[in-house]
Amino acid sequence: MTAPLPAIAAEDGAGRWSWPISPPRDSTSVAVRPAEARAVADLGVQNLRRLQHHDPSAPGWRVIERLLGPLEAVNAALDSPPTPHRRRAMLDVVAVLLTRCAETGRTFWGWTEEEWFHLLGRTQAEFRQHAPAWAGDEVRPYLAAHAYLLGGFNEFHRLGSFQRLTLAWRIFGRDRVNGEVARLRAILRTHL
């Protein structure tokens, strides 16, 4: 059994950004195990979304730890104010990804850029066509961060209009991004 991916520091010793999760070490981790697919189905959408009647002690949670661990690590690494609205969006991203894994039989580690693009959609309206009906509009921006961090998705130019700066803040941290923008502006000022 593959252990859940551990979260790693968001900065290395030199202050550089580093990936918040470790990638799986073996190719067998791409397939969703039958027990994991059953556990996702048994937990059900209400439990996966962690709504009012969420049962954190349900046995299915232990079965899907390998899938849940990286999703939680990404959520923990995102630079996003901990408001109830944002927390709800991040929990719903986890539910969307877990249900999609169970549907496809493949984990998010093995999804292609096209599969991530299909789920994200070219526009918010296209996202609504492919996402579960319960996934609100606020889910897509967080899903884009997960696509980058879990699947290496970088085809953001295909996603139409959205807040790219906010996405960069979420992934890399507001202070780091603002610092780099200021550094680039200073360089440009000296060369113009």
Side-chain angles (χ1 to χ4, degrees), residues 161-173:
S161 178
F162 74 96
Q163 297 295 320
R164 286 165 172 75
L165 181 58
T166 302
L167 176 65
W169 286 340
R170 281 189 184 130
I171 293 172
F172 303 110

Side-chain angles (χ1 to χ4, degrees), residues 17 77-80 141-142 144-146 148-149 156 162-181:
W17 182 86
L78 295 179
D79 186 349
S80 183
Y142 285 95
H146 281 71
Y148 177 76
L149 292 168
F156 297 109
F162 74 96
Q163 297 295 320
R164 286 165 172 75
L165 181 58
T166 302
L167 176 65
W169 286 340
R170 281 189 184 130
I171 293 172
F172 303 110
R174 184 179 293 256
D175 291 343
R176 177 173 286 111
V177 170
N178 289 347
E180 289 301 307
V181 168

